[in-house]
Amino acid sequence: MYLAVTGLITFLVGVVCVAILLFSRPLNRLKVLWAMICFFGGLWGLGFFITYTATSYEVAYRGLNFCNHMVLFVPLFLLHFSLAFSGEEKRGYRELIASYLLVIGIFAGAIIFPQLFIPRLKHIMNFAYYPVPGPLYHVFMAFCIFAYGRSFFTLFREYQRTVSLRRQQLKYFFLGLGAMFLGAIQTVMPVYDIKIEPIGAFAPPILLGLTTLILSKYYLPDLKVFVLRGFLIVVICGAIPALPFTVGANWMPLWKAWLGELWWAGPLTAAIAMSCGGTLLIRYIFDQEAKGISLVSQKALLRIAFGLGRVKTINGISDLIVRLLVWSLKVNSAALYLYNDGDRVFRLKSWRYRGKDTGTTLRTLAGDSVLGRFVSASASPVVGDEIKLRARDEYDVALKLVGEELDSYGADIILPCRAGKRLPAVIILGAPLVPKAIEPAYLVFLSLLANQLTLAIENASSYDDLRRAQEHLAESEKMVTIGNLAGGLSHQLNNRFTTLLFLSRSLEAVISRACQSPLVDEEQVKARSVFRKMEDNIDSSREVLRGILNYSAENEEYEPFDARHLIESSVELVGFKVRLDEFAFNVDIAEDCPKVVGNFAQLQEVLFNIIDNAYHSMMEKKKLKLVNDYSPAMTVRVRVAGGSIYIAIADNGMGIRPENMRKLFTPFFSTKAMTKKGYGLGLYVMKQIVERNHRGRIELRSEYLKGAEVEIALPVQSGAAASYEAEASLRR
């Protein structure tokens, strides 16, 4: 009778599994193959139920034939499923074709010549109907042994070469496959007159249910925990409630003495009470386990929160986050990327390694890349193993590209740090130092952790914004003071420059008349040239004073002028202050370089200060004798690209200390060398002249004791850049 019950259970489980697989999304080949196994397995169970509830030989014979006809296809689709599951379907296609032909042949032979498959039924042990094997049945048994062995071998190789999620799935599959194999052997033994109770008929529903579970979800609890829970459920809810009936058979006289004809109510009441108590006990055990996991997660979150509360700046918080993640999660690496609204790119802010360097140092993650779009659309942690498995199982090209990008970043898990609809940061975690299965509880913990880290990042960003606003306010107050002082200073200096200009022009007129004499000598000609330069520089100085007073104004008149003239005049101006023959000076400017649009005097002063500072940096290095056979050298290069002209001034002097790099454009900041020699307008005002007044850009790159390079980008005359680049391409 229990074989009929097992058959009915197998049929019902098969129907439920087919419905789950075919209605789950996305539907892939693995699910279809396993749905076929569940379908034929369910029909096998239905045949078992018909056979062992039959009251006549003819019905039992038809039921057993139907049952064995259906079971023919189970090992066939199991072999196909195992090859597809391990990615060896193409490699083993010859085996599959031969197996399909063999099974179809056996099925056709069994239909046409039933006596060759199951000639008759026999009575064995307590079973009135059990098949007598024919020649085709022996062939089918041989194929079953091959199919089960090949499937196990294929999946075991997959288990050896894979990690994490797939390995966890295979553990469940091996459990079900082992139960199915042992159950099949035990059920078939009476066919060959080996008298063993076929209790293994309960095994098929286990395999069908477990495999449907692993195909429906990638994140499974640890197999040991799963088996322990199953054992507790069977013992507490199955075996223990059966005790009253087992004991009741021995205590029947006592029950009858107490309850009379209703003696059966005693064991039944005891069984119901034990079942309810067992259910409550299991729930209590599982709740305590969940509380234990939750407590561990809470402690980890508290440790991280305690560390984050001590740091306020975004630089400090970024470095601390990756350190805490590597330490607390025990992963190989952690990298934090912050989103930049300007270019829509996640830029690497901080990273940390604990084990082997996997190369997770790619500086940017484009927001419009395949991985960037996928992470932006994801509300939960992105697990690399899951993406790769889904790409292979679902034959999804887009997911395959996402998996390849994850590998390029050395990413095992990516945490999207969401703040509402915004994604201000992403965190890339490397592989764990000790490989382990990813469980659903761990993903929940990572989601909570990402929320906490997002809050810390947002707070640090707000703190930095507030600090910058305060600095800008203080800076504005200082510059207002400078503006007030510059008004009086400009008036006083302007008066003196006017007097000097009048005197220099008077002297120039005297010398000019003297030069008309036939006795003019070379010194008089040189003196006249010097006075002309004095006049030009006094005019330039007056212009600079006006620039100091109005450097923040945006309505000054700018004119196009030649870049070569700007550089040559700046160098000539420097020549009055320093000796140009003390260092090698190289200028690389194209002959047909387009014109720059701007204020000539302001830009001349900028270049003057840059060249002057570079000179003093080289002389300081030469004086300190830090390098043997040191030869000071300065290079000015000019290039045109993208509607701008780039002027780069490089030297091999002292360079800038790393700790001073971020302070260079801060108002009123100076190093000792700068205080001694002076920058004139100062880097801050130079930056305002270039970036605010001229809509350009100024950048300074330096390596201490090796030199520095200042690059200025300025707009060129409209249309000049395009024509210049076109002519340059034609020349090439």
Coordinates of all heavy atoms in Angstrom, one line a residue, residues 658-708:
P658 N 54.6 67.2 -1.6 CA 53.3 66.6 -1.8 C 52.2 67.3 -0.8 O 51.1 67.5 -1.2 CB 53.5 65.1 -1.5 CG 54.9 64.9 -1.8 CD 55.6 66.2 -1.5
E659 N 52.7 67.6 0.4 CA 51.7 68.1 1.4 C 51.3 69.5 1.0 O 50.3 70.1 1.6 CB 52.3 68.1 2.8 CG 53.6 68.9 3.0 CD 54.8 68.1 2.7 OE1 54.7 67.0 2.0 OE2 55.9 68.5 3.2
N660 N 52.0 70.2 0.1 CA 51.7 71.6 -0.3 C 50.9 71.7 -1.5 O 50.4 72.8 -1.9 CB 53.0 72.4 -0.4 CG 53.7 72.7 0.9 OD1 53.0 72.7 2.0 ND2 55.0 72.8 0.9
M661 N 50.7 70.5 -2.3 CA 50.1 70.6 -3.6 C 48.6 71.1 -3.5 O 48.2 71.9 -4.3 CB 50.1 69.2 -4.2 CG 51.4 68.8 -4.7 SD 52.0 69.8 -6.1 CE 50.8 69.4 -7.3
R662 N 47.9 70.6 -2.5 CA 46.5 71.0 -2.4 C 46.3 72.5 -1.9 O 45.2 73.0 -1.9 CB 45.7 70.1 -1.5 CG 46.2 70.0 -0.1 CD 45.4 69.0 0.7 NE 45.8 68.9 2.1 CZ 45.3 69.7 3.1 NH1 44.3 70.5 2.8 NH2 45.7 69.6 4.3
K663 N 47.4 73.1 -1.4 CA 47.3 74.4 -0.8 C 47.7 75.5 -1.8 O 47.6 76.7 -1.5 CB 48.2 74.6 0.4 CG 47.9 73.5 1.5 CD 48.9 73.7 2.7 CE 48.8 72.6 3.7 NZ 49.8 72.7 4.8
L664 N 48.2 75.1 -3.0 CA 48.9 76.1 -3.9 C 48.0 77.2 -4.3 O 48.5 78.4 -4.3 CB 49.4 75.3 -5.1 CG 50.6 74.4 -4.9 CD1 51.0 73.7 -6.1 CD2 51.8 75.2 -4.3
F665 N 46.7 77.0 -4.6 CA 45.9 78.0 -5.1 C 45.0 78.6 -3.9 O 44.0 79.3 -4.2 CB 45.0 77.5 -6.2 CG 45.7 77.0 -7.4 CD1 46.0 75.7 -7.6 CD2 46.2 78.0 -8.3 CE1 46.7 75.3 -8.7 CE2 47.0 77.6 -9.4 CZ 47.2 76.2 -9.6
T666 N 45.4 78.4 -2.7 CA 44.8 79.0 -1.5 C 45.3 80.4 -1.3 O 46.5 80.6 -1.4 CB 45.0 78.2 -0.3 OG1 44.6 76.8 -0.5 CG2 44.3 78.7 0.9
P667 N 44.4 81.4 -1.1 CA 44.9 82.8 -0.9 C 45.8 82.9 0.3 O 45.5 82.3 1.3 CB 43.6 83.6 -0.8 CG 42.5 82.6 -0.7 CD 42.9 81.3 -1.1
F668 N 46.9 83.7 0.1 CA 47.8 84.0 1.2 C 48.6 82.8 1.6 O 49.3 82.9 2.7 CB 47.1 84.6 2.4 CG 46.2 85.7 2.1 CD1 44.8 85.6 2.1 CD2 46.7 87.0 1.7 CE1 44.0 86.6 1.7 CE2 45.9 88.0 1.3 CZ 44.5 87.8 1.4
F669 N 48.6 81.7 0.9 CA 49.5 80.6 1.2 C 50.8 80.8 0.5 O 50.9 81.2 -0.7 CB 48.9 79.3 0.8 CG 49.9 78.2 0.9 CD1 50.3 77.6 2.2 CD2 50.5 77.7 -0.2 CE1 51.2 76.6 2.2 CE2 51.4 76.6 -0.2 CZ 51.8 76.1 1.1
S670 N 52.0 80.6 1.1 CA 53.3 80.6 0.5 C 54.2 79.7 1.2 O 54.1 79.5 2.4 CB 53.8 82.1 0.5 OG 54.1 82.5 1.8
T671 N 55.2 79.2 0.4 CA 56.3 78.4 1.1 C 57.4 79.4 1.4 O 57.4 80.6 1.0 CB 56.8 77.3 0.1 OG1 57.3 77.9 -1.1 CG2 55.6 76.4 -0.3
K672 N 58.5 78.9 2.0 CA 59.6 79.8 2.3 C 60.3 80.3 1.1 O 60.6 81.5 1.0 CB 60.6 79.0 3.2 CG 60.1 78.7 4.6 CD 61.2 78.0 5.4 CE 60.6 77.7 6.8 NZ 61.6 77.0 7.6
A673 N 60.4 79.5 0.1 CA 61.1 79.9 -1.1 C 60.2 81.0 -1.8 O 60.7 82.0 -2.3 CB 61.3 78.8 -2.1
M674 N 58.9 80.8 -1.8 CA 58.0 81.8 -2.4 C 58.1 83.1 -1.7 O 58.0 84.1 -2.3 CB 56.6 81.2 -2.5 CG 56.5 80.0 -3.5 SD 55.0 79.1 -3.2 CE 53.8 80.3 -3.4
T675 N 58.1 83.0 -0.3 CA 58.2 84.2 0.5 C 59.4 85.0 0.2 O 59.4 86.3 0.1 CB 58.1 83.9 1.9 OG1 56.9 83.1 2.2 CG2 58.0 85.1 2.8
K676 N 60.5 84.3 -0.1 CA 61.8 85.0 -0.3 C 61.8 85.8 -1.6 O 62.2 86.9 -1.8 CB 62.9 84.0 -0.2 CG 64.3 84.6 -0.4 CD 65.3 83.6 -0.3 CE 66.7 84.1 -0.6 NZ 67.8 83.1 -0.5
K677 N 61.3 85.0 -2.7 CA 61.4 85.6 -4.0 C 60.1 86.3 -4.5 O 60.1 87.2 -5.2 CB 61.8 84.5 -5.0 CG 63.1 83.8 -4.7 CD 64.2 84.8 -4.8 CE 65.6 84.2 -4.5 NZ 66.7 85.1 -4.6
G678 N 59.0 85.7 -4.1 CA 57.7 86.3 -4.5 C 57.1 85.8 -5.8 O 57.9 85.5 -6.7
Y679 N 55.8 85.7 -5.8 CA 55.1 85.3 -7.1 C 54.4 86.5 -7.7 O 53.8 86.4 -8.7 CB 54.0 84.3 -6.7 CG 54.4 82.9 -7.0 CD1 54.6 82.0 -5.9 CD2 54.5 82.4 -8.3 CE1 54.9 80.7 -6.1 CE2 54.8 81.1 -8.5 CZ 55.0 80.3 -7.4 OH 55.4 79.0 -7.7
G680 N 54.6 87.7 -7.2 CA 53.9 88.8 -7.8 C 52.4 88.8 -7.4 O 52.0 89.1 -6.3
L681 N 51.6 88.5 -8.4 CA 50.2 88.4 -8.1 C 49.8 87.3 -7.2 O 48.7 87.3 -6.7 CB 49.4 88.3 -9.5 CG 49.5 89.5 -10.4 CD1 48.8 89.2 -11.7 CD2 48.9 90.7 -9.7
G682 N 50.6 86.2 -7.2 CA 50.2 85.0 -6.4 C 49.4 84.1 -7.2 O 48.7 84.4 -8.1
L683 N 49.5 82.8 -6.8 CA 48.8 81.7 -7.6 C 47.3 81.9 -7.5 O 46.6 81.5 -8.5 CB 49.3 80.4 -7.1 CG 50.6 79.8 -7.6 CD1 50.9 78.5 -7.0 CD2 50.5 79.6 -9.1
Y684 N 46.8 82.4 -6.4 CA 45.4 82.5 -6.3 C 44.8 83.5 -7.4 O 43.9 83.2 -8.1 CB 44.9 82.9 -4.9 CG 43.4 83.1 -4.8 CD1 42.6 82.0 -4.7 CD2 42.9 84.3 -4.9 CE1 41.2 82.1 -4.6 CE2 41.5 84.5 -4.8 CZ 40.7 83.4 -4.7 OH 39.3 83.6 -4.6
V685 N 45.4 84.7 -7.4 CA 45.0 85.7 -8.4 C 45.3 85.2 -9.8 O 44.5 85.5 -10.7 CB 45.7 87.0 -8.1 CG1 45.3 88.1 -9.1 CG2 45.3 87.5 -6.7
M686 N 46.4 84.5 -10.0 CA 46.7 83.9 -11.3 C 45.6 83.0 -11.8 O 45.1 83.0 -12.9 CB 48.0 83.2 -11.3 CG 49.2 84.2 -11.2 SD 50.7 83.3 -10.7 CE 50.8 82.1 -12.0
K687 N 45.1 82.2 -10.8 CA 44.0 81.2 -11.1 C 42.7 82.0 -11.5 O 42.0 81.6 -12.4 CB 43.8 80.3 -9.9 CG 42.8 79.2 -10.2 CD 42.6 78.4 -8.9 CE 41.6 77.2 -9.1 NZ 42.1 76.2 -10.0
Q688 N 42.5 83.1 -10.7 CA 41.3 83.9 -11.0 C 41.4 84.5 -12.4 O 40.4 84.6 -13.2 CB 41.1 85.0 -10.0 CG 40.8 84.4 -8.6 CD 39.5 83.7 -8.5 OE1 38.5 84.2 -9.0 NE2 39.5 82.6 -7.8
I689 N 42.6 85.0 -12.8 CA 42.8 85.6 -14.1 C 42.5 84.6 -15.2 O 41.8 84.9 -16.2 CB 44.2 86.3 -14.2 CG1 44.3 87.5 -13.3 CG2 44.5 86.6 -15.6 CD1 45.7 88.0 -13.2
V690 N 43.1 83.4 -15.0 CA 43.0 82.4 -16.1 C 41.6 81.8 -16.2 O 41.0 81.8 -17.2 CB 44.1 81.3 -15.9 CG1 43.9 80.2 -16.9 CG2 45.5 81.9 -16.1
E691 N 41.1 81.4 -15.0 CA 39.8 80.6 -15.0 C 38.6 81.5 -15.0 O 37.6 81.2 -15.7 CB 39.9 79.6 -13.9 CG 41.0 78.6 -14.0 CD 40.9 77.5 -12.9 OE1 40.0 77.6 -12.1 OE2 41.7 76.5 -13.0
R692 N 38.6 82.5 -14.2 CA 37.4 83.4 -14.1 C 37.3 84.4 -15.1 O 36.3 84.6 -15.8 CB 37.4 84.0 -12.7 CG 36.1 84.7 -12.4 CD 36.0 85.1 -10.9 NE 34.7 85.8 -10.7 CZ 34.4 86.2 -9.5 NH1 35.1 86.0 -8.4 NH2 33.2 86.8 -9.3
N693 N 38.4 85.1 -15.3 CA 38.4 86.2 -16.3 C 38.5 85.8 -17.7 O 37.9 86.4 -18.6 CB 39.6 87.2 -16.0 CG 39.4 87.9 -14.7 OD1 38.4 87.7 -14.0 ND2 40.3 88.8 -14.4
H694 N 39.2 84.7 -18.0 CA 39.5 84.2 -19.3 C 38.8 82.9 -19.7 O 39.0 82.4 -20.8 CB 41.0 84.1 -19.6 CG 41.7 85.4 -19.7 ND1 42.1 86.1 -18.6 CD2 42.1 86.1 -20.8 CE1 42.7 87.2 -18.9 NE2 42.7 87.3 -20.3
R695 N 38.0 82.3 -18.7 CA 37.3 81.1 -18.9 C 38.2 80.0 -19.4 O 37.9 79.2 -20.2 CB 36.2 81.3 -20.0 CG 35.1 82.2 -19.6 CD 34.3 81.6 -18.4 NE 33.1 82.4 -18.1 CZ 33.1 83.3 -17.1 NH1 34.2 83.5 -16.4 NH2 32.0 84.0 -16.9
G696 N 39.4 80.0 -18.8 CA 40.4 79.0 -19.2 C 40.6 78.0 -18.0 O 39.7 77.8 -17.2
R697 N 41.8 77.4 -18.0 CA 42.1 76.5 -16.9 C 43.6 76.5 -16.6 O 44.4 76.6 -17.6 CB 41.7 75.0 -17.3 CG 41.7 74.1 -16.1 CD 41.3 72.6 -16.6 NE 42.4 72.0 -17.4 CZ 42.4 71.8 -18.6 NH1 41.3 72.2 -19.3 NH2 43.4 71.3 -19.3
I698 N 44.0 76.4 -15.4 CA 45.4 76.3 -15.0 C 45.6 75.1 -14.1 O 44.8 74.9 -13.2 CB 45.8 77.6 -14.3 CG1 47.3 77.5 -14.0 CG2 45.0 77.9 -13.1 CD1 47.9 78.8 -13.5
E699 N 46.6 74.3 -14.4 CA 46.9 73.1 -13.7 C 48.3 73.0 -13.4 O 49.2 73.5 -14.2 CB 46.5 71.8 -14.5 CG 45.0 71.6 -14.6 CD 44.7 70.3 -15.3 OE1 45.6 69.6 -15.7 OE2 43.5 70.0 -15.5
L700 N 48.7 72.5 -12.2 CA 50.1 72.4 -11.8 C 50.4 71.0 -11.5 O 49.7 70.4 -10.6 CB 50.4 73.3 -10.6 CG 51.9 73.5 -10.3 CD1 52.1 74.9 -9.7 CD2 52.4 72.5 -9.4
R701 N 51.3 70.4 -12.1 CA 51.8 69.0 -11.8 C 53.2 69.1 -11.3 O 54.1 69.8 -11.9 CB 51.6 68.1 -13.0 CG 50.2 67.9 -13.5 CD 50.1 67.1 -14.8 NE 50.6 67.8 -15.9 CZ 49.9 68.6 -16.7 NH1 48.6 68.7 -16.4 NH2 50.4 69.2 -17.7
S702 N 53.6 68.3 -10.3 CA 54.9 68.4 -9.8 C 55.3 67.1 -9.1 O 54.4 66.4 -8.6 CB 55.0 69.5 -8.8 OG 56.3 69.6 -8.2
E703 N 56.6 66.8 -9.1 CA 57.2 65.7 -8.4 C 58.4 66.3 -7.6 O 59.3 66.8 -8.2 CB 57.6 64.6 -9.3 CG 58.1 63.3 -8.5 CD 58.3 62.1 -9.4 OE1 58.0 62.2 -10.6 OE2 58.8 61.1 -8.9
Y704 N 58.3 66.2 -6.3 CA 59.3 66.9 -5.5 C 60.7 66.5 -5.8 O 61.0 65.3 -6.0 CB 59.0 66.6 -4.0 CG 59.9 67.4 -3.0 CD1 59.9 68.8 -3.1 CD2 60.6 66.8 -2.1 CE1 60.7 69.5 -2.3 CE2 61.4 67.5 -1.2 CZ 61.5 68.9 -1.3 OH 62.3 69.6 -0.4
L705 N 61.6 67.4 -6.0 CA 63.0 67.3 -6.3 C 63.2 66.9 -7.7 O 64.4 66.7 -8.1 CB 63.7 66.3 -5.4 CG 63.7 66.6 -3.9 CD1 64.4 65.5 -3.1 CD2 64.4 68.0 -3.6
K706 N 62.1 66.8 -8.5 CA 62.3 66.5 -10.0 C 61.8 67.6 -10.9 O 62.2 67.6 -12.1 CB 61.6 65.2 -10.3 CG 62.3 64.0 -9.7 CD 61.7 62.7 -10.2 CE 62.4 61.5 -9.6 NZ 61.9 60.2 -10.2
G707 N 61.0 68.5 -10.4 CA 60.5 69.6 -11.2 C 59.0 69.8 -11.2 O 58.3 69.1 -10.4
A708 N 58.6 70.7 -12.0 CA 57.2 71.1 -12.0 C 56.8 71.5 -13.4 O 57.6 71.9 -14.2 CB 56.8 72.2 -11.0

